[in-house]
């Protein structure tokens, strides 16, 4: 099963992708997590990506596409995956479709987690992220068992650099300009599914499960 998560920054793509990955035993592939891991480890890719991410801009397609295609070519992705944060532009979607077509494969579902902009800024300030394993928490809506510590791996949780209010606003603008057109792109292919992302995260997950079966 190959699933794409669509939705604004902070809509809950990562939260839901992790739950889907666990239930359906497929890897959770997040380009944002891959970039953050590279930044943390001080790689050349991380240095390049950081320039864009800290400003709330998209990392150029040339850098992003190769990383994603390499990742999904790995053995653990053989039976499918859930993509979180990719594609984010029409050209990225086209590259993915072309690569899959060459393998005789296709994306099964594009799930749009719908949350209005007003709700987003609120959520971001309370988010805490684990840069080691990619787990995401919220100080109110999804608190870790021990404050400031990742439940999964014990790493110290951080507020992401790009979660400052000004940067969140920029990311929302970029989302509407460059990523939202993907909703129509996948709708035309007949694989778009919309879920209300404003309800409790377990209810969002239940809606997704009823789509995936
Ligand atoms: P990325 O890491 O993908 O960030 P994003 O799309 O901005 O999305 P977020 O991770 O901020 O939000 P999310 O939807 O995953 O929400 P979450 O589950 O955490 O990308 C970061 C940057 O990397 C980009 O800006 C870009 O520069 C670059 N990049 C990445 N991929 C790229 C690509 N393909 N091309 C180019 N550049 C790329 O939830 C948010 C918060 O809300 C959490 O605290 C959570 O606990 C809480 N929450 C979740 N669900 C609910 C709910 N139902 N109710 C209440 N709270 C909830
Ligand atoms: Mg995320
Ligand atoms: Zn962790």
């Amino acid at each position: 099963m190959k699933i794409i998560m669509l939705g604004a920054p902070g809509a809950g793509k990562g939260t839901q992708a992790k739950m889907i990955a666990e239930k359906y035993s497929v890897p959770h592939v997040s380009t944002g997590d891959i970039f953050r891991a590279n930044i943390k480890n001080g790689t050349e890719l991380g240095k390049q990506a950081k320039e864009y991410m800290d400003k709330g801009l998209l990392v150029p397609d040339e850098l992003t596409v190769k990383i994603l295609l390499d990742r999904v070519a790995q053995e653990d992705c053989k039976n499918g995956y859930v993509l979180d944060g990719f594609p984010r532009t029409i050209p990225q979607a086209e590259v993915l479709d072309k690569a899959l077509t060459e393998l005789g494969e296709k994306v099964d579902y594009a799930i749009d987690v719908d949350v209005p902009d007003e709700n987003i800024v609120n959520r971001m300030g309370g988010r805490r992220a684990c840069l080691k394993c990619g787990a995401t928490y919220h100080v109110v809506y999804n608190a870790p068992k021990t404050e400031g510590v990742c439940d999964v791996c014990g790493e110290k949780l951080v507020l992401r650099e790009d979660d400052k209010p000004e940067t969140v606003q920029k990311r929302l603008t970029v989302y509407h300009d460059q990523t939202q057109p993907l909703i129509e792109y996948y709708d035309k292919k007949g694989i778009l599914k919309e879920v209300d992302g404003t309800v409790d995260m377990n209810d969002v997950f239940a809606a997704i499960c009823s789509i995936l079966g």
Side-chain angles (χ1 to χ4, degrees):
M1 184 155 52
K2 297 187 187 64
I3 301 166
I4 289 171
M5 303 303 293
L6 296 174
K13 300 181 297 296
T15 302
Q16 297 301 327
K18 279 219 175 294
M19 293 162 101
I20 295 169
E22 196 170 315
K23 175 163 178 185
Y24 295 91
S25 302
V26 288
H28 167 209
V29 176
S30 158
T31 39
D33 285 353
I34 294 172
F35 289 138
R36 282 184 289 277
N38 275 275
I39 292 171
K40 187 165 183 269
N41 295 329
T43 69
E44 189 50 43
L45 170 68
K47 275 177 210 148
Q48 288 177 305
K50 188 172 169 25
E51 300 245 341
Y52 299 93
M53 290 171 72
D54 285 354
K55 295 188 186 115
L57 302 173
L58 294 185
V59 177
D61 289 346
E62 306 84 80
L63 284 177
T64 310
V65 163
K66 185 178 180 309
I67 286 158
L68 189 278
L69 293 181
D70 286 350
R71 177 66 190 88
V72 298
Q74 287 172 22
E75 184 63 22
D76 64 330
C77 288
K78 234 175 50 189
N79 297 322
Y81 39 79
V82 48
L83 296 187
D84 159 21
F86 187 98
R88 251 192 163 82
T89 62
I90 298 276
Q92 288 182 13
E94 289 171 346
V95 170
L96 177 65
D97 278 343
K98 183 162 173 279
L100 289 176
T101 304
E102 280 166 10
L103 296 168
E105 297 172 6
K106 62 175 176 50
V107 176
D108 298 295
Y109 297 101
I111 301 175
D112 178 36
V113 182
D114 187 31
V115 177
D117 288 10
E118 307 84 84
N119 302 32
I120 300 281
V121 183
N122 251 342
R123 279 193 190 179
M124 298 306 221
R127 171 162 62 186
R128 296 295 178 271
C130 173
L131 297 184
K132 193 170 175 192
C133 78
T136 297
Y137 303 87
H138 191 282
V139 292
V140 179
Y141 307 123
N142 183 22
K145 291 194 182 75
T146 308
E147 194 186 322
V149 180
C150 180
D151 290 349
V152 181
C153 73
E155 182 87 353
K156 196 165 163 281
L157 299 175
V158 297
L159 180 67
R160 265 170 48 181
E161 289 276 349
D162 57 350
D163 279 350
K164 287 176 289 185
E166 322 81 85
T167 316
V168 170
Q169 202 52 58
K170 180 70 197 167
R171 284 160 64 202
L172 279 170
T173 308
V174 168
Y175 167 75
H176 291 301
D177 285 353
Q178 302 194 53
T179 307
Q180 210 170 16
L182 290 172
I183 293 177
E184 197 188 326
Y185 179 92
Y186 287 112
D187 195 18
K188 280 192 179 142
K189 290 186 182 290
I191 59 168
L192 179 74
K193 304 284 172 187
E194 303 246 19
V195 294
D196 178 2
T198 63
V199 297
D200 182 273
M201 52 191 82
N202 294 311
D203 296 332
V204 179
F205 187 55
I208 291 174
C209 291
S210 71
I211 291 164
L212 300 180

